[in-house]
Amino acid sequence: MGWLQGNVAVVTGGGSGLGRAVVERFLAEGAQVGVLERSAEKLAKLEADLGDAVVGVHGDVTSYQDNVRVVGETVARFGRLDTFVANAAIWDFSTKLVDMPEDSLDKLFDEMFHINVKGYLLGAKAAVRELAATGGSIILTVSNAGFYPGGGGPLYTASKHAVVGLIKELAFELAPKIRVNGVAPGGMLTDLRGPGALGLGETNISSVPLADLVKQCTVLQQLPEAADYAGNYVLLASKSNSSASTGAIINCDGGMGVRGLAEVAGGNDL
Ligand SMILES: NC(=O)c1ccc[n+]([C@@H]2O[C@H](COP(=O)([O-])OP(=O)(O)OC[C@H]3O[C@@H](n4cnc5c(N)ncnc54)[C@H](O)[C@@H]3O)[C@@H](O)[C@H]2O)c1
């Protein structure tokens, strides 16, 4: 029997990359899943590939009504809600402060923070009553950028630090009924897009030489695939396997925090 047998989850941004990997893994563990996704094309593919165990809702995480809709349609179809995974985000392509165009600063800030932070807050707000009814939990996707500089520019890094703050505050406020935790993955080649305000709305992170970067700045030195991170979400969603965890964040970034100052490659005889 899977770890999530009988569980019902919502995943935002479940149309590609990490979100899609979490959806697939949750299904394999016995869950049923609702997905909020802004790409109609990705949503159609998800539903065609995965069938009736998934309910897809086309919408935007920056709209409270769309978050309410995905919770409502998921509960209407599957009867309950145990887990809300807030995951949809964009990246700033490490745009430095000095390189941000003055005439689009406001637009750029709002776009990044509305998707990456407000989207998570609205999702939690829309889900909270249903989660309280089942003793469920919220899982927020953070990033290595929630802990260290250099995984983005000031806007992405600040937005992911804000997500860490949301996890702590919501874990405090929503206890004891609802647990709130995070997963902080490192790099992976996905469709992660940039801000439209920088003209990067159609560009994705797969255009960046991530494998080389990961080799330099992690001790594990391997670029994981999205599916390699999904088990962390299963653990935190599973009531019987993580009932004492709240306010916790699983750092699964290949060991950036233990990188140290010495050369890693060839540094031992193992
Ligand atoms: N790719 C990486 O290297 C990396 C590293 C660390 C953390 N992350 C985090 O992983 C999470 C998932 O990103 P990914 O890499 O799988 O990218 P992705 O673009 O493949 O997946 C994100 C999904 O969210 C959707 N989406 C984007 N904005 C939306 C909105 N406003 N409303 C609804 N849906 C929206 C996209 O269409 C996409 O399907 C993000 O929180 C990201 O910050 C990614």
Side-chain angles (χ1 to χ4, degrees):
M1 198 168 88
W3 276 21
L4 302 180
Q5 208 65 45
N7 277 31
V8 177
V10 163
V11 179
T12 72
S16 69
L18 180 57
R20 167 110 190 198
V22 169
V23 172
E24 290 183 13
R25 185 65 192 278
F26 274 26
L27 295 184
E29 296 289 342
Q32 294 165 303
V33 185
V35 169
L36 178 59
E37 170 59 58
R38 75 174 173 185
S39 160
E41 207 181 325
K42 290 180 186 176
L43 207 51
K45 183 159 176 21
L46 183 85
E47 289 178 313
D49 291 348
L50 303 179
D52 285 350
V54 174
V55 55
V57 172
H58 185 219
D60 199 300
V61 294
T62 62
S63 152
Y64 181 57
Q65 282 318 316
D66 287 352
N67 281 285
V68 168
R69 217 154 42 83
V70 71
V71 169
E73 290 190 25
T74 303
V75 173
R77 172 86 75 92
F78 302 129
R80 54 188 287 135
L81 184 66
D82 299 280
T83 311
F84 189 92
V85 180
N87 168 77
I90 57 172
W91 187 48
D92 64 1
F93 280 80
S94 295
T95 304
K96 294 183 164 63
L97 182 72
V98 291
D99 296 329
M100 290 176 194
E102 283 177 15
D103 56 0
S104 52
L105 274 180
D106 284 340
K107 220 174 132 200
L108 178 58
F109 180 91
D110 288 353
E111 188 179 359
M112 290 293 309
F113 271 73
H114 283 189
I115 298 176
N116 290 15
V117 185
K118 188 172 83 175
Y120 283 19
L121 184 85
L122 298 182
K125 172 86 177 156
V128 82
R129 300 265 166 230
E130 294 295 343
L131 293 174
T134 61
S137 80
I138 296 172
I139 305 171
L140 306 185
T141 298
V142 194
S143 162
N144 50 278
F147 297 87
Y148 317 113
L155 289 176
Y156 186 73
T157 301
S159 76
K160 290 299 185 179
H161 275 65
V163 172
V164 172
L166 265 183
I167 291 167
K168 292 180 184 175
E169 182 62 31
L170 295 183
F172 170 68
E173 288 184 17
L174 301 179
K177 284 196 174 155
I178 302 172
R179 298 180 298 114
V180 184
N181 295 295
V183 177
M188 64 195 121
L189 294 174
T190 65
D191 194 29
L192 188 62
R193 304 286 179 97
L198 288 177
L200 294 171
E202 301 302 320
T203 310
N204 72 29
I205 196 169
S206 298
S207 59
V208 171
L210 269 191
D212 296 342
L213 285 172
V214 161
K215 199 164 168 48
Q216 286 163 25
C217 64
T218 73
V219 290
L220 294 183
Q221 302 182 61
Q222 294 289 333
L223 182 64
E225 304 205 349
D228 297 326
Y229 297 110
N232 298 293
Y233 292 79
V234 174
L235 174 68
L236 293 173
S238 166
K239 286 170 200 167
S240 53
N241 289 291
S242 64
S243 62
S245 298
T246 196
I249 300 175
I250 301 179
N251 293 82
C252 40
D253 56 21
M256 288 187 196
V258 291
R259 173 65 184 78
L261 301 175
E263 182 70 30
V264 174
N268 60 55
D269 295 329
L270 296 173

